[in-house]
Amino acid sequence: MASSGGGGIPNERHAGQRVKPGQKYQNREGFKAHRNMKRAVRDVDAENDLRHRACQGVCRRCAQKVQWRFQYQKYRALRPGKHGKCHACERAVHFSYRNLCQTCATTKKLCPGCSKPPAESQLARPDELSDGGDDGKDESTDDDEYEGVIITRH
């Protein structure tokens, strides 16, 4: 029984390589945290303060992970009175998603999130960290960009 060259399993490119089908149900709108909630100013400020403190002193990759968790409401803070333990010295760790206390991390020059030695350029600086609301787009406009362009409205 001879098979033709075009037959076979659907979604097959070459032998052993399958193409995954696309998403079954496409979302019409992206996820937006607190979409239909009116929040008090103190709650927003408290969340922004926690977001800022949770991303300090960790490598860029760990900071991005924590920011993703805040953006999609997956971040779970440690409950009051509860804390984790440092993997090096058994002291208290007061932030979620951290393995080392701050003193061990600074003395051993390791990231407290992933316990790996980051290069100095890989440490996340507070001025780099965004609130998650913008997508890296700068809303400021320069007049130099529109030099020679005349905008008229009718």
Side-chain angles (χ1 to χ4, degrees):
M1 177 178 208
S3 65
S4 62
I9 301 171
N11 292 335
E12 184 178 348
R13 284 187 187 170
H14 301 288
Q17 294 181 351
R18 292 186 56 121
V19 177
K20 291 185 179 181
Q23 185 174 336
K24 188 170 184 179
Y25 296 105
Q26 184 64 42
N27 297 336
R28 282 177 268 169
E29 299 174 11
F31 178 80
K32 184 177 177 188
H34 312 295
R35 177 174 296 191
N36 298 319
M37 291 177 59
K38 291 184 180 178
R39 300 174 66 207
V41 175
R42 69 176 187 274
D43 293 340
V44 175
D45 291 343
E47 182 179 338
N48 288 339
D49 183 47
L50 178 62
R51 179 181 301 196
H52 179 71
R53 287 187 295 132
C55 293
Q56 282 182 338
V58 295
C59 66
R60 190 171 289 141
R61 177 162 167 74
C62 292
Q64 288 174 348
K65 288 179 185 180
V66 170
Q67 285 176 348
W68 181 89
R69 288 180 181 276
F70 272 106
Q71 184 178 357
Y72 292 103
Q73 291 184 335
K74 302 290 184 183
Y75 185 85
R76 296 291 175 251
L78 293 175
R79 291 180 288 161
K82 300 288 183 182
H83 54 79
K85 287 189 177 180
C86 177
H87 289 223
C89 66
E90 300 296 322
R91 275 191 246 157
V93 176
H94 298 288
F95 284 107
S96 296
Y97 313 109
R98 293 206 182 180
N99 301 324
L100 299 173
C101 64
Q102 197 61 37
T103 55
C104 289
T106 52
T107 56
K108 296 180 180 183
K109 296 182 180 177
L110 298 174
C111 170
C114 59
S115 302
K116 293 181 182 176
E120 288 297 321
S121 61
Q122 289 180 341
L123 285 177
R125 294 186 302 271
D127 57 345
E128 288 180 346
L129 304 175
S130 65
D131 293 335
D134 62 349
D135 296 321
K137 298 175 186 168
D138 191 17
E139 305 243 347
S140 64
T141 58
D142 285 334
D143 294 332
D144 297 337
E145 293 178 13
Y146 300 107
E147 189 174 323
V149 177
I150 300 172
I151 300 173
T152 59
R153 295 186 179 149
H154 296 284

